[in-house]
Amino acid sequence: MSNRIFNFSAGPCTLPLPALEKAQAEFVDYQGTRMSLIEMSHRGEHYDKVHHDAMAAIRDVLSVPDSHDILFIQGGATLQFAMVPLNLLSDDKTAEFLNTGTWVKKAIADAEKLGPIRITWNGETDNFTRMPASDEYQVGDDAAYVHICGNETIGGIEYHEYPDTGAAPLVSDMSSHIMSRPVEWNKLALAFAGAQKNLGPAGMALVIIHKTLLKNCRDDLPAYLAYKTHAGKDSLYNTPPVFAIYMMKLTVDWVKEQGGLAKMEKRALARSGALYDTIDRSEGWYRCPVDAASRSRMNVCFRLPTEELEAKFIAEALEANFSGLKGHRSVGGCRASMYNAMPVEGAEQLAEFMVKFKQNNA
Ligand code: PMP
């Protein structure tokens, strides 16, 4: 099918066409069972294989070391804003945050209802236009963990290298850049990601947790909210989101076929580079509001000279086969979200469109 639109949505977002087509081909009659995967028992052999193959594929493609467990949990990334402090905080410990924008603020809002928190670094004064340098904050001795957002989807800023938090466990919200580059597992005690960007459709979060941290998690929580429950049952404690996990498996398989994380990173650099170069060469007509050193490879945010021109740009782009370019309603402007399944040509063609749009409207 060649008439697909270039979908620059922030998530849900474009997914690999081969994964969609495979799902379509086997949807109604799953591997000769005369029923679809979403109609059969999650305790049966067919789903069991999907489930464990999906876990193995994640471990393989993301190079998750044996020191870490892989969990599939419903509730999206948002539930993790509560589950992380519920599981890791205790009365004598503090949850620390490097506040880099909307998604860390949401995590702070949930954690402060559950225990002591500290905002160790605050990017609010800079309008969340950059990630902190390592000498700009000091993690306390009483830190239960340090929470970061690896890539701020709305602000368009990304850590190009993860902070080193020493003895304090580092927790990263990787929702919008997981599987787009190799992961620094040696620094990470817990990583979580809502699925609906690089992993597949919405319906779950992927949680990857160091076994030592897991051992120290609280035991006195309602069952579903405890990481130990999911780890102890291979994420089959209750009915899992079978379709989301199945699609994730197909998506991860596609990444492997394409050459894995190194290839994904190369493509992300090519896509985002095409747009940032266009912005930088426009003599200020297009303006990227974020610090050059923190520019996101997944979400390229930019402004035009006026809001009227931005509205015109988004409308004309849609006619030209580029959708989803409106910035988040909280910040306005334009945003091109380019996850793994966005072809490099999509970004290159958008860059050409931007050049022409400027010529016609400057
Ligand atoms: N964190 C980040 C960085 C996100 O981009 C999003 C969603 N856009 C979320 C968390 C929330 O994810 P969910 O909708 O899966 O709860």
mmCIF file of all heavy atoms in Angstrom, residues 153-155 287 289 300-304 306-307 310-311 314 325-336:
data_model
loop_
_atom_site.group_PDB
_atom_site.id
_atom_site.type_symbol
_atom_site.label_atom_id
_atom_site.label_comp_id
_atom_site.label_asym_id
_atom_site.label_seq_id
_atom_site.Cartn_x
_atom_site.Cartn_y
_atom_site.Cartn_z
ATOM 1 N N THR A 153 8.679 14.793 25.155
ATOM 2 C CA THR A 153 7.936 14.734 23.896
ATOM 3 C C THR A 153 7.340 16.091 23.498
ATOM 4 O O THR A 153 7.252 16.415 22.313
ATOM 5 C CB THR A 153 6.781 13.722 24.055
ATOM 6 O OG1 THR A 153 7.227 12.643 24.880
ATOM 7 C CG2 THR A 153 6.303 13.198 22.728
ATOM 8 N N ILE A 154 6.919 16.855 24.478
ATOM 9 C CA ILE A 154 6.249 18.138 24.186
ATOM 10 C C ILE A 154 7.279 19.249 23.985
ATOM 11 O O ILE A 154 7.198 20.035 23.042
ATOM 12 C CB ILE A 154 5.253 18.480 25.323
ATOM 13 C CG1 ILE A 154 4.103 17.460 25.302
ATOM 14 C CG2 ILE A 154 4.738 19.917 25.186
ATOM 15 C CD1 ILE A 154 3.098 17.608 26.431
ATOM 16 N N GLY A 155 8.284 19.288 24.847
ATOM 17 C CA GLY A 155 9.294 20.340 24.756
ATOM 18 C C GLY A 155 10.319 20.100 23.656
ATOM 19 O O GLY A 155 10.972 21.028 23.188
ATOM 20 N N ARG A 287 12.246 28.795 13.651
ATOM 21 C CA ARG A 287 13.035 28.939 14.874
ATOM 22 C C ARG A 287 12.773 27.733 15.769
ATOM 23 O O ARG A 287 11.620 27.412 16.058
ATOM 24 C CB ARG A 287 12.597 30.230 15.572
ATOM 25 C CG ARG A 287 13.553 30.774 16.602
ATOM 26 C CD ARG A 287 13.083 32.173 17.057
ATOM 27 N NE ARG A 287 11.656 32.209 17.360
ATOM 28 C CZ ARG A 287 11.102 31.749 18.480
ATOM 29 N NH1 ARG A 287 11.850 31.234 19.425
ATOM 30 N NH2 ARG A 287 9.780 31.815 18.670
ATOM 31 N N PRO A 289 12.976 26.420 19.388
ATOM 32 C CA PRO A 289 13.107 27.105 20.680
ATOM 33 C C PRO A 289 14.056 26.443 21.667
ATOM 34 O O PRO A 289 14.293 26.977 22.740
ATOM 35 C CB PRO A 289 11.670 27.088 21.229
ATOM 36 C CG PRO A 289 10.982 25.973 20.524
ATOM 37 C CD PRO A 289 11.689 25.749 19.226
ATOM 38 N N VAL A 300 10.855 17.191 16.803
ATOM 39 C CA VAL A 300 11.478 18.451 16.394
ATOM 40 C C VAL A 300 10.435 19.559 16.512
ATOM 41 O O VAL A 300 9.436 19.572 15.783
ATOM 42 C CB VAL A 300 12.007 18.354 14.941
ATOM 43 C CG1 VAL A 300 12.547 19.702 14.473
ATOM 44 C CG2 VAL A 300 13.092 17.275 14.838
ATOM 45 N N CYS A 301 10.663 20.472 17.461
ATOM 46 C CA CYS A 301 9.714 21.575 17.681
ATOM 47 C C CYS A 301 10.224 22.817 16.965
ATOM 48 O O CYS A 301 11.419 23.101 17.005
ATOM 49 C CB CYS A 301 9.599 21.877 19.177
ATOM 50 S SG CYS A 301 8.852 20.518 20.101
ATOM 51 N N PHE A 302 9.331 23.530 16.323
ATOM 52 C CA PHE A 302 9.756 24.775 15.672
ATOM 53 C C PHE A 302 8.612 25.773 15.567
ATOM 54 O O PHE A 302 7.434 25.413 15.620
ATOM 55 C CB PHE A 302 10.378 24.506 14.286
ATOM 56 C CG PHE A 302 9.495 23.723 13.334
ATOM 57 C CD1 PHE A 302 8.723 24.368 12.369
ATOM 58 C CD2 PHE A 302 9.448 22.332 13.401
ATOM 59 C CE1 PHE A 302 7.927 23.645 11.478
ATOM 60 C CE2 PHE A 302 8.650 21.592 12.517
ATOM 61 C CZ PHE A 302 7.890 22.253 11.561
ATOM 62 N N ARG A 303 9.008 27.028 15.473
ATOM 63 C CA ARG A 303 8.037 28.126 15.339
ATOM 64 C C ARG A 303 8.232 28.797 13.987
ATOM 65 O O ARG A 303 9.317 28.741 13.396
ATOM 66 C CB ARG A 303 8.243 29.196 16.434
ATOM 67 C CG ARG A 303 8.229 28.717 17.870
ATOM 68 C CD ARG A 303 6.919 28.197 18.383
ATOM 69 N NE ARG A 303 5.734 28.917 18.040
ATOM 70 C CZ ARG A 303 4.737 29.193 18.894
ATOM 71 N NH1 ARG A 303 4.839 28.832 20.177
ATOM 72 N NH2 ARG A 303 3.648 29.803 18.493
ATOM 73 N N LEU A 304 7.164 29.449 13.513
ATOM 74 C CA LEU A 304 7.225 30.291 12.325
ATOM 75 C C LEU A 304 7.062 31.725 12.805
ATOM 76 O O LEU A 304 6.764 31.948 13.993
ATOM 77 C CB LEU A 304 6.124 29.888 11.329
ATOM 78 C CG LEU A 304 6.481 28.723 10.379
ATOM 79 C CD1 LEU A 304 6.537 27.393 11.135
ATOM 80 C CD2 LEU A 304 5.468 28.629 9.232
ATOM 81 N N THR A 306 4.723 33.937 12.697
ATOM 82 C CA THR A 306 3.455 34.293 13.357
ATOM 83 C C THR A 306 2.599 33.032 13.533
ATOM 84 O O THR A 306 2.791 32.030 12.832
ATOM 85 C CB THR A 306 2.618 35.287 12.503
ATOM 86 O OG1 THR A 306 2.250 34.619 11.282
ATOM 87 C CG2 THR A 306 3.376 36.562 12.191
ATOM 88 N N GLU A 307 1.616 33.135 14.421
ATOM 89 C CA GLU A 307 0.706 31.999 14.622
ATOM 90 C C GLU A 307 -0.155 31.763 13.379
ATOM 91 O O GLU A 307 -0.525 30.636 13.070
ATOM 92 C CB GLU A 307 -0.183 32.236 15.842
ATOM 93 C CG GLU A 307 0.601 32.079 17.135
ATOM 94 C CD GLU A 307 -0.237 32.165 18.390
ATOM 95 O OE1 GLU A 307 -1.487 32.137 18.295
ATOM 96 O OE2 GLU A 307 0.371 32.284 19.474
ATOM 97 N N GLU A 310 1.799 29.730 11.109
ATOM 98 C CA GLU A 310 1.865 28.348 11.619
ATOM 99 C C GLU A 310 0.600 27.579 11.221
ATOM 100 O O GLU A 310 0.680 26.429 10.768
ATOM 101 C CB GLU A 310 2.054 28.346 13.142
ATOM 102 C CG GLU A 310 3.466 28.747 13.533
ATOM 103 C CD GLU A 310 3.688 29.005 15.016
ATOM 104 O OE1 GLU A 310 2.693 29.081 15.774
ATOM 105 O OE2 GLU A 310 4.849 29.155 15.415
ATOM 106 N N ALA A 311 -0.550 28.223 11.363
ATOM 107 C CA ALA A 311 -1.807 27.557 10.996
ATOM 108 C C ALA A 311 -1.820 27.251 9.493
ATOM 109 O O ALA A 311 -2.232 26.167 9.062
ATOM 110 C CB ALA A 311 -2.991 28.439 11.381
ATOM 111 N N ILE A 314 0.548 24.312 8.740
ATOM 112 C CA ILE A 314 0.006 22.996 9.124
ATOM 113 C C ILE A 314 -1.070 22.554 8.111
ATOM 114 O O ILE A 314 -1.105 21.392 7.697
ATOM 115 C CB ILE A 314 -0.548 23.067 10.575
ATOM 116 C CG1 ILE A 314 0.630 23.208 11.557
ATOM 117 C CG2 ILE A 314 -1.396 21.847 10.914
ATOM 118 C CD1 ILE A 314 0.254 23.762 12.919
ATOM 119 N N LEU A 325 1.370 17.801 12.379
ATOM 120 C CA LEU A 325 2.468 18.743 12.640
ATOM 121 C C LEU A 325 2.150 19.852 13.645
ATOM 122 O O LEU A 325 2.980 20.718 13.901
ATOM 123 C CB LEU A 325 2.930 19.371 11.314
ATOM 124 C CG LEU A 325 3.698 18.398 10.414
ATOM 125 C CD1 LEU A 325 3.835 18.925 8.999
ATOM 126 C CD2 LEU A 325 5.081 18.111 11.000
ATOM 127 N N LYS A 326 0.957 19.791 14.217
ATOM 128 C CA LYS A 326 0.601 20.836 15.188
ATOM 129 C C LYS A 326 1.330 20.556 16.503
ATOM 130 O O LYS A 326 1.370 19.419 16.978
ATOM 131 C CB LYS A 326 -0.916 20.775 15.416
ATOM 132 C CG LYS A 326 -1.532 22.023 15.989
ATOM 133 C CD LYS A 326 -3.056 21.858 15.842
ATOM 134 C CE LYS A 326 -3.925 22.943 16.327
ATOM 135 N NZ LYS A 326 -3.546 23.918 17.207
ATOM 136 N N GLY A 327 1.905 21.593 17.100
ATOM 137 C CA GLY A 327 2.569 21.447 18.396
ATOM 138 C C GLY A 327 1.540 21.095 19.469
ATOM 139 O O GLY A 327 0.334 21.256 19.265
ATOM 140 N N HIS A 328 2.027 20.630 20.621
ATOM 141 C CA HIS A 328 1.101 20.279 21.702
ATOM 142 C C HIS A 328 0.316 21.523 22.127
ATOM 143 O O HIS A 328 0.855 22.629 22.146
ATOM 144 C CB HIS A 328 1.897 19.726 22.891
ATOM 145 C CG HIS A 328 1.027 19.115 23.942
ATOM 146 N ND1 HIS A 328 0.552 19.824 25.017
ATOM 147 C CD2 HIS A 328 0.529 17.861 24.071
ATOM 148 C CE1 HIS A 328 -0.187 19.027 25.780
ATOM 149 N NE2 HIS A 328 -0.214 17.830 25.221
ATOM 150 N N ARG A 329 -0.940 21.331 22.478
ATOM 151 C CA ARG A 329 -1.808 22.484 22.783
ATOM 152 C C ARG A 329 -1.250 23.347 23.919
ATOM 153 O O ARG A 329 -1.536 24.533 23.997
ATOM 154 C CB ARG A 329 -3.228 22.015 23.095
ATOM 155 C CG ARG A 329 -3.326 21.095 24.279
ATOM 156 C CD ARG A 329 -4.703 20.444 24.407
ATOM 157 N NE ARG A 329 -4.745 19.561 25.556
ATOM 158 C CZ ARG A 329 -4.222 18.334 25.598
ATOM 159 N NH1 ARG A 329 -3.647 17.846 24.524
ATOM 160 N NH2 ARG A 329 -4.277 17.610 26.693
ATOM 161 N N SER A 330 -0.416 22.784 24.791
ATOM 162 C CA SER A 330 0.109 23.563 25.919
ATOM 163 C C SER A 330 1.236 24.516 25.508
ATOM 164 O O SER A 330 1.531 25.461 26.222
ATOM 165 C CB SER A 330 0.623 22.610 27.004
ATOM 166 O OG SER A 330 1.693 21.827 26.504
ATOM 167 N N VAL A 331 1.863 24.261 24.366
ATOM 168 C CA VAL A 331 2.987 25.125 23.958
ATOM 169 C C VAL A 331 2.794 25.769 22.578
ATOM 170 O O VAL A 331 3.481 26.741 22.248
ATOM 171 C CB VAL A 331 4.342 24.358 23.959
ATOM 172 C CG1 VAL A 331 4.743 23.966 25.366
ATOM 173 C CG2 VAL A 331 4.299 23.127 23.059
ATOM 174 N N GLY A 332 1.882 25.249 21.769
ATOM 175 C CA GLY A 332 1.638 25.809 20.438
ATOM 176 C C GLY A 332 2.765 25.495 19.460
ATOM 177 O O GLY A 332 3.563 24.587 19.681
ATOM 178 N N GLY A 333 2.829 26.268 18.380
ATOM 179 C CA GLY A 333 3.872 26.073 17.379
ATOM 180 C C GLY A 333 3.694 24.781 16.591
ATOM 181 O O GLY A 333 2.588 24.235 16.496
ATOM 182 N N CYS A 334 4.795 24.328 16.008
ATOM 183 C CA CYS A 334 4.764 23.115 15.186
ATOM 184 C C CYS A 334 5.698 22.076 15.802
ATOM 185 O O CYS A 334 6.669 22.417 16.466
ATOM 186 C CB CYS A 334 5.243 23.425 13.769
ATOM 187 S SG CYS A 334 4.238 24.676 12.959
ATOM 188 N N ARG A 335 5.368 20.833 15.540
ATOM 189 C CA ARG A 335 6.222 19.741 16.039
ATOM 190 C C ARG A 335 6.147 18.590 15.051
ATOM 191 O O ARG A 335 5.058 18.143 14.694
ATOM 192 C CB ARG A 335 5.736 19.283 17.410
ATOM 193 C CG ARG A 335 6.441 18.028 17.903
ATOM 194 C CD ARG A 335 5.983 17.633 19.299
ATOM 195 N NE ARG A 335 4.541 17.468 19.401
ATOM 196 C CZ ARG A 335 3.911 16.917 20.425
ATOM 197 N NH1 ARG A 335 4.602 16.502 21.469
ATOM 198 N NH2 ARG A 335 2.602 16.791 20.439
ATOM 199 N N ALA A 336 7.307 18.127 14.620
ATOM 200 C CA ALA A 336 7.370 16.943 13.762
ATOM 201 C C ALA A 336 7.898 15.798 14.619
ATOM 202 O O ALA A 336 9.061 15.803 15.021
ATOM 203 C CB ALA A 336 8.301 17.200 12.582
#
